Amino acid sequence: MATLNRFKEELEKTEAELVPLGGLDILISELSGRRDRLVVSLDQLESSGDEKLSARVEALSREKIEIEQRVARLDDGFNILNSIRLDFDELRERRAHLERALAEVETDPDGRSLIDRQNALNEFIVESRLRLTRLQDTSATLTRFKEEAAKSQAELTPLQSPAFGIEALIQEVNANRDILVKTLGEIELKGDEQLSSRVEALVKNKAEIDQRLARIFENFQNLDSMRKDIGEIFTSIRGTLNRIG
């Protein structure tokens, strides 16, 4: 009887300890709701329509690389034009020097004889022919430079177009940049909350959820252990009753 009374007291104590655990289903339902809301929030952040956030960022990165390459090509074109301009300046200086040299040959300030002057003229003719050949070569070079400059000018004309030129491209890039900045601002700020704050709060909530789940699993394990202990107690009671009977 003393043993049965002790078993009865332990069972009543166990039943009293099980009463607070009746709210486990409510707690599990609440945690499931929070988990579903967390999943929906993450899906909204990771996608916009049919486009993923990573895909949009990758597309913007490719467009940035293309813009940098086109700007580099424009810089190369400007450098070539500047080199041509320097060559023209050098050619003008050489022409002025040639004109001064020819003027000096045609005059005789020292009073030399006609034969000497004729010999000098013959030498001058030979030299002039050589210079003329060089001038013709220079003229051909200048003509080639002129053609290349005209070609470069023709290639630059589309770049000055108001619809498809550099300014239009810059305006388009600025518009895309403004859209990107606005989109990033909308993603990073929702109401008065920063994205980092919301993510941090979600991480904290997830950690709390994991802790509570761990405690629930621990309580379930304790309950299962208690159930086994109670089963053993009832088995012992039945064995005792069988022996007494």
Side-chain angles (χ1 to χ4, degrees):
M1 290 298 294
T3 302
L4 290 175
N5 287 330
R6 187 174 70 254
F7 288 163
K8 180 180 179 181
E9 291 174 357
E10 291 179 355
L11 287 174
E12 291 175 351
K13 182 178 179 182
T14 302
E15 290 177 354
E17 291 176 350
L18 287 174
V19 171
L21 299 177
L24 288 176
D25 292 335
I26 298 174
L27 180 59
I28 291 172
S29 299
E30 181 181 355
L31 293 174
S32 298
R34 290 185 179 180
R35 180 202 60 195
D36 295 337
R37 289 194 297 272
L38 177 61
V39 171
V40 171
S41 298
L42 290 174
D43 291 338
Q44 291 176 353
L45 288 174
E46 290 178 348
S47 63
S48 176
D50 296 333
E51 290 185 332
K52 292 294 184 180
L53 180 61
S54 59
R56 289 183 290 158
V57 172
E58 184 177 356
L60 289 172
S61 178
R62 288 197 301 270
E63 292 176 357
K64 176 179 177 293
I65 293 172
E66 292 177 357
I67 291 170
E68 291 177 349
Q69 292 176 350
R70 296 182 70 178
V71 171
R73 289 196 294 270
L74 287 175
D75 289 337
D76 292 338
F78 284 126
N79 292 331
I80 292 172
L81 289 175
N82 186 48
S83 177
I84 293 173
R85 181 184 61 80
L86 295 175
D87 291 338
F88 275 119
D89 293 339
E90 184 179 356
L91 288 172
R92 281 194 293 270
E93 292 178 358
R94 289 184 179 181
R95 178 182 177 182
H97 178 72
L98 178 62
E99 290 176 352
R100 290 192 300 269
L102 290 174
E104 291 175 358
V105 171
E106 291 173 352
T107 59
D108 188 9
D110 298 332
R112 289 179 298 176
S113 63
L114 181 60
I115 296 175
D116 293 336
R117 293 181 65 187
Q118 286 178 348
N119 292 332
L121 286 173
N122 289 329
E123 293 177 358
F124 171 74
I125 289 171
V126 174
E127 185 179 357
S128 296
R129 287 177 179 175
L130 294 174
R131 290 182 176 180
L132 181 59
T133 302
R134 289 196 294 270
L135 284 175
Q136 290 174 348
D137 294 338
T138 303
S139 178
T141 303
L142 288 175
T143 301
R144 187 175 69 254
F145 287 164
K146 181 180 178 181
E147 292 175 354
E148 292 178 355
K151 182 179 178 181
S152 299
Q153 183 65 34
E155 292 176 350
L156 285 175
T157 300
L159 300 178
Q160 298 172 346
S161 172
F164 306 101
I166 295 176
E167 292 298 331
L169 181 61
I170 291 173
Q171 292 177 2
E172 182 180 355
V173 172
N174 288 332
N176 291 333
R177 180 202 61 193
D178 295 337
I179 293 172
L180 176 60
V181 171
K182 181 179 178 182
T183 303
L184 290 175
E186 292 175 354
I187 292 175
E188 292 177 348
L189 184 64
K190 183 178 182 182
D192 296 333
E193 289 184 329
Q194 294 288 339
L195 178 62
S196 58
S197 301
R198 288 183 289 157
V199 172
E200 184 178 356
L202 290 173
V203 172
K204 187 182 296 183
N205 291 333
K206 180 180 179 300
E208 293 177 357
I209 291 171
D210 293 339
Q211 292 176 357
R212 297 180 71 178
L213 286 174
R215 289 196 296 270
I216 290 173
F217 287 140
E218 184 179 356
N219 291 330
F220 275 123
Q221 291 176 356
N222 292 332
L223 288 174
D224 185 64
S225 177
M226 293 171 64
R227 180 182 62 79
K228 292 179 181 179
D229 293 340
I230 292 172
E232 292 176 357
I233 290 171
F234 277 113
T235 301
S236 177
I237 291 172
R238 284 197 296 268
T240 302
L241 291 176
N242 290 331
R243 287 195 300 272
I244 293 173

